[in-house]
Amino acid sequence: MSHNITVLGLESSCDDTAAAVVRRTNSESAEVLSSVVWGQEGLHAAFGGVVPEIAARAHAERLDLCVEQALEQAGLTLGEVDAIAVTAGPGLIGGVISGVMCAKGLSIGSGKPLVGVNHLAGHALTPRMTDGVEYPYLMLLVSGGHCQFLGVHGPDQFTRMGGTIDDAPGEAFDKSAKLLGLGYPGGPLIEEEAKNGDPKRFRFPRPLLDRPDLDMSFSGLKTALRRARDTLVAEKGGLTVQDRADLCASFQQAVADTLAEKTRRACIAFGKPVETPVLAVAGGVAANSLIRSALQKVAAQEGFRFLAPPLKYCTDNGAMIAWAGLERFAGGESDDLTLSARPRWPLDKAATPMLGSGKKGAKA
Ligand code: KG4
Ligand code: ZN
């Protein structure tokens, strides 16, 4: 007989320190009892990107406070949760270790089971927590660190259908913003600049659209933007406000067009296991209105229901980790104290490694 399950989740794989408490009730629906996210943007802004050592230290200093707040806001003690879930990878290893060590300490102290969670599974399973979506569904994960199409068939059954072979789109937004002297994170700043720009002025590449598969590449786009910037600077001695807006608008359009076309192909490849399958998105880049509406349009054209969970659950958060841990735990799974932090941890064990597959295996 089913019963309520309540899980505490910890997340520290990139630049957000987060903890949350999530409950699944008898009716199988999810309730986020609390979700605390302490963003580190301010610590990394001066560097134009996440500095791993600074991130790890900040996680170590903040995690216990986030856990304390999450429990307090949920109105629970540690003794009242059923399990402790933690991101065990993939991610910046110092931060992942901070989270795993904190969770192990909590597990030893409370006697509660420990459940290691793959960060990407956290993102991929979010639509089940927010909207009760049934398996199987199609997921596009587009963040600062990841970009992939996933067929989601079960809590631990993922098919990686394609993904970036170099930079993630968010990374391209961040690097391009840096090239234009904008701040960090670059995505929202480029989107803001683009509002006054002409998306047709610069014809940036739509990479890999000539290939039939679902792989993508975004690093060349950033290089194209740098070349256009350098040409303007050489011609005129600098960039006007309009030049910058046009560069942003043209860049954003190229990312949107590329993602939209690859998403169309992903929908076709996923097929119609049910009459109206779900196309869900997750990751910070899904906050971009142009990209979001381009994906929405493609979904409608291909007969898919488009689903974008609320932004606070699309970007890194503890609730998605608690939920993914809950799904594992409900299936009878947990880890012991040998759980280790993994910098690389592909979701789909059968897929060909994509990103920098080196001695340690595939990154994602
Ligand atoms: O999912 P997220 O919060 O963190 C991870 O990378 O895991 O995503 C952050 C990324 C950053 O690269 C940021 O520039 C990008 O999402 N982003 C955006 C927008 N808002 C955030 N990119 C484009 N347009 C936006 N409005
Ligand atoms: Zn993430």
Side-chain angles (χ1 to χ4, degrees):
M1 202 177 80
S2 67
H3 60 97
N4 286 353
I5 302 178
T6 308
V7 175
L8 167 71
L10 275 64
E11 158 60 33
S12 58
S13 65
C14 189
D15 62 348
D16 290 300
T17 315
V21 181
V22 174
R23 174 171 290 163
R24 194 179 77 181
T25 61
N26 288 337
S27 61
E28 301 275 302
S29 70
E31 203 183 329
V32 179
L33 301 182
S34 65
S35 180
V36 176
V37 180
W38 186 73
Q40 303 179 357
E41 284 89 354
L43 297 179
H44 305 289
F47 305 96
V50 181
V51 184
E53 289 76 11
I54 295 177
R57 191 173 302 234
H59 287 306
E61 284 168 3
R62 276 278 167 166
L63 266 166
D64 53 347
L65 294 171
C66 287
V67 168
E68 207 171 23
Q69 279 178 23
L71 288 169
E72 196 181 306
Q73 288 175 22
L76 295 174
T77 62
L78 193 54
E80 289 171 300
V81 304
D82 295 304
I84 299 162
V86 62
T87 300
L92 299 173
I93 193 62
V96 181
I97 290 173
S98 300
V100 169
M101 296 312 283
C102 180
K104 283 183 182 176
L106 294 170
S107 170
I108 295 169
S110 64
K112 298 293 174 181
L114 176 72
V115 186
V117 168
N118 183 309
H119 178 85
L120 302 173
H123 280 301
L125 299 177
T126 299
R128 291 182 46 75
M129 174 180 80
T130 57
D131 293 80
V133 172
E134 302 273 340
Y135 298 118
Y137 55 94
L138 174 63
M139 153 73 56
L140 168 61
L141 175 55
V142 269
S143 72
H146 302 285
C147 179
Q148 48 189 282
F149 291 107
L150 291 166
V152 185
H153 301 277
D156 193 27
Q157 278 177 276
F158 304 95
T159 322
R160 190 185 188 288
M161 300 163 68
T164 184
I165 57 168
D166 42 52
D167 290 353
E171 192 177 356
F173 268 100
D174 294 338
K175 288 177 177 170
S176 300
K178 199 172 173 185
L179 288 170
L180 296 176
L182 300 168
Y184 172 84
L189 298 163
I190 290 195
E191 181 170 20
E192 191 55 35
E193 287 279 325
K195 283 182 186 156
N196 305 316
D198 174 6
K200 295 205 175 88
R201 175 158 165 209
F202 301 95
R203 181 69 197 167
F204 291 138
R206 270 64 175 160
L208 302 193
L209 287 192
D210 55 331
R211 269 167 52 167
D213 59 28
L214 299 176
D215 288 340
M216 291 165 278
S217 160
F218 295 97
S219 75
L221 208 47
K222 163 204 73 199
T223 311
L225 178 128
R226 185 174 54 219
R227 284 212 192 93
R229 178 203 68 176
D230 290 349
T231 307
L232 288 169
V233 171
E235 279 168 8
K236 306 197 276 191
L239 295 183
T240 64
V241 170
Q242 193 58 52
D243 288 337
R244 198 158 78 166
D246 293 345
L247 284 167
C248 287
S250 302
F251 169 85
Q252 181 177 256
Q253 191 65 54
V255 177
D257 288 353
T258 308
L259 283 172
E261 182 49 34
K262 289 287 178 171
T263 300
R264 180 186 311 286
R265 295 180 197 177
C267 288
I268 294 165
F270 185 74
K272 290 273 175 73
V274 292
E275 202 181 324
T276 312
V278 165
L279 164 68
V281 286
V285 180
N288 186 286
S289 342
L290 182 79
I291 292 173
R292 196 184 269 246
S293 61
L295 297 176
Q296 201 156 11
K297 198 167 141 197
V298 166
Q301 287 166 346
E302 298 303 325
F304 278 59
R305 177 160 82 92
F306 182 72
L307 200 145
L311 200 60
K312 63 181 173 183
Y313 300 131
C314 267
T315 55
D316 288 352
N317 66 90
M320 69 179 193
I321 302 304
W323 174 262
L326 196 155
E327 289 221 32
R328 271 198 75 200
F329 183 66
E333 288 181 52
S334 64
D335 290 285
D336 59 25
L337 294 177
T338 60
L339 174 70
S340 51
R342 300 169 64 172
R344 300 170 179 214
W345 185 1
L347 264 187
D348 180 350
K349 292 133 208 133
T352 320
M354 298 293 308
L355 265 175
S357 179
K359 275 188 238 160
K360 293 178 192 151
K363 268 192 200 166

